[in-house]
């Protein structure tokens, strides 16, 4: 099975921390050139040092994926800097504090939807413009186990991730005949800054215990799936919502 990404240009959003960072390092290890955006310049600088230490080539830009202008210039700069766009991993996403719907705020709704849903749409649109002209490409969206099941108190996050799953499947069908594959990864709970900042230690323990494998996932386990989907080894896959969740959604 060919898992090499040799010579491929892979773009990653929100690559400065957590799952995105692990995916960037895994893509570089598999031979890809990477273009990475984040809202944190500091995180991008640290990542660029790590990538160069691995012998990899990286382009970085500060870009908020909910801003159409910034997204447009990041994608154009990627092609200018690295020559093409073969794979686009739409990873950036945020959570909101857990609360039942009756206690949620309009500000949290707008914040979560503008990054998780609008931001993913904006990035898919830019990627598809480039990939349609190139007559091929590969898009991977970071959805969630909460694209398939629910968790009380996570209304906006869950709703946004169900929508990302819908957008993945709909767009995969629209572009399959044009040689563009579009899949999503649906991680279970993985210890990253996102989870650290959203839930208490008690909830973390509850989450770990609720996965049939009785533990949280690791960023590397999600990155392994991303490399597979980015590679030609997954050439007959499109429109798939790939669970990497220790059995959480099987329950
Ligand atoms: N950690 C989990 O358990 C888990 C589970 C399922 C799905 N996910 C999804 O995986 C993705 C990554 O999650 P994570 O846990 O690594 O999060 P994280 O908070 O640890 O890292 C996210 C990165 O994205 C960046 N970012 C945030 N908003 C951005 C924006 N508007 N534009 C550009 N960059 C932005 C952050 O600065 C950070 O570097 C998210 O889409 C998340 O919903 C995470």
């Amino acid at each position: 099975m060919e898992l090499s990404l040799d010579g491929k240009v892979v773009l990653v959003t929100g690559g400065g921390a957590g799952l995105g960072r692990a995916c960037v390092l895994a893509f570089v290890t598999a031979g890809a050139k990477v273009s990475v955006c984040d809202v944190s310049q500091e995180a991008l600088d640290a990542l660029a040092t790590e990538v160069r230490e691995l012998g990899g080539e990286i382009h970085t830009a500060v870009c908020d994926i909910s801003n159409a202008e910034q997204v447009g210039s990041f994608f154009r700069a990627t092609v200018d800097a690295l020559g093409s766009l073969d794979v686009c991993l739409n990873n950036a996403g945020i959570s909101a504090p857990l609360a039942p719907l009756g206690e949620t705020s309009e500000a949290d709704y707008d914040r979560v939807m503008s990054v998780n849903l609008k931001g993913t749409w904006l990035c898919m649109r830019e990627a598809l413009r480039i990939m349609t002209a190139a007559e091929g490409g590969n898009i991977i969206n970071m959805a969630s186990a909460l694209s398939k099941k629910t968790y009380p108190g996570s209304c906006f996050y869950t709703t946004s991730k169900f929508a990302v799953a819908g957008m993945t499947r709909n767009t995969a069908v629209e572009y399959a005949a044009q040689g563009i594959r579009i899949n999503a990864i649906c991680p279970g709970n993985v210890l990253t800054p996102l989870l650290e900042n959203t839930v208490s230690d008690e909830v973390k323990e509850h989450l770990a215990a609720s996965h049939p494998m009785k533990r949280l996932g690791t960023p590397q386990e999600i990155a392994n799936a991303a490399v597979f989907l980015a590679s030609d080894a997954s050439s007959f896959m499109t429109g798939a919502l790939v669970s990497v969740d220790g059995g959480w959604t099987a329950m």
Side-chain angles (χ1 to χ4, degrees):
M1 184 166 70
E2 186 55 87
L3 280 180
S4 165
L5 301 180
D6 247 345
K8 286 192 197 288
V9 173
V10 182
L11 177 153
V12 180
T13 65
L19 304 186
R21 177 182 163 276
C23 290
V24 168
L25 297 174
F27 290 146
V28 169
T29 303
K33 295 186 265 184
V34 289
S35 178
V36 185
C37 81
D38 204 283
V39 287
S40 164
Q41 178 73 64
E42 206 184 335
L44 287 172
D45 290 346
L47 179 74
T49 303
E50 275 187 278
V51 166
R52 290 186 184 117
E53 278 169 7
L54 287 172
E57 187 176 346
I58 182 168
H59 166 263
T60 63
V62 170
C63 164
D64 177 345
I65 61 156
S66 65
N67 180 307
E69 248 175 63
Q70 291 180 24
V71 168
S73 54
F74 172 53
F75 276 72
R76 281 191 298 278
T78 295
V79 177
D80 288 348
L82 301 178
S84 61
L85 175 62
D86 300 304
V87 182
C88 171
L89 172 62
N90 294 312
N91 164 77
I94 59 172
S95 60
L98 293 178
L101 189 140
E103 294 166 29
T104 49
S105 72
E106 189 176 354
D108 276 342
Y109 176 92
D110 287 342
R111 208 169 50 82
V112 172
M113 291 302 173
S114 75
V115 176
N116 293 7
L117 184 51
K118 181 184 170 194
T120 302
W121 161 64
L122 286 172
C123 292
M124 287 183 79
R125 189 175 64 164
E126 285 307 320
L128 285 164
R129 286 173 176 166
I130 295 167
M131 290 173 180
T132 304
E135 298 180 353
N138 183 340
I139 297 175
I140 305 164
N141 292 330
M142 198 62 85
S144 173
L146 297 183
S147 296
K148 298 183 176 185
K149 67 179 288 174
T150 64
Y151 190 79
S154 71
C155 175
F156 299 152
Y157 183 83
T158 297
T159 302
S160 72
K161 292 296 184 176
F162 266 72
V164 167
M167 201 157 55
T168 302
R169 295 182 64 171
N170 187 73
T171 317
V173 173
E174 286 172 350
Y175 286 88
Q178 296 178 57
I180 301 171
R181 299 195 290 119
I182 306 172
N183 295 289
I185 300 174
C186 299
N189 289 283
V190 181
L191 204 53
T192 65
L194 178 136
L195 200 66
E196 288 282 6
N197 300 334
T198 312
V199 300
S200 63
D201 286 347
E202 198 186 346
V203 172
K204 257 176 254 157
E205 273 168 38
H206 167 72
L207 285 171
S210 68
H211 288 60
M213 291 177 85
K214 301 295 175 205
R215 67 172 176 88
L216 301 175
T218 67
Q220 184 63 50
E221 288 172 317
I222 307 307
N224 293 342
V227 171
F228 170 66
L229 288 175
S231 77
D232 295 340
S234 58
S235 52
F236 198 47
M237 289 179 71
T238 199
L241 308 177
V242 179
S243 290
V244 186
D245 67 2
W248 204 42
T249 48
M251 292 176 25

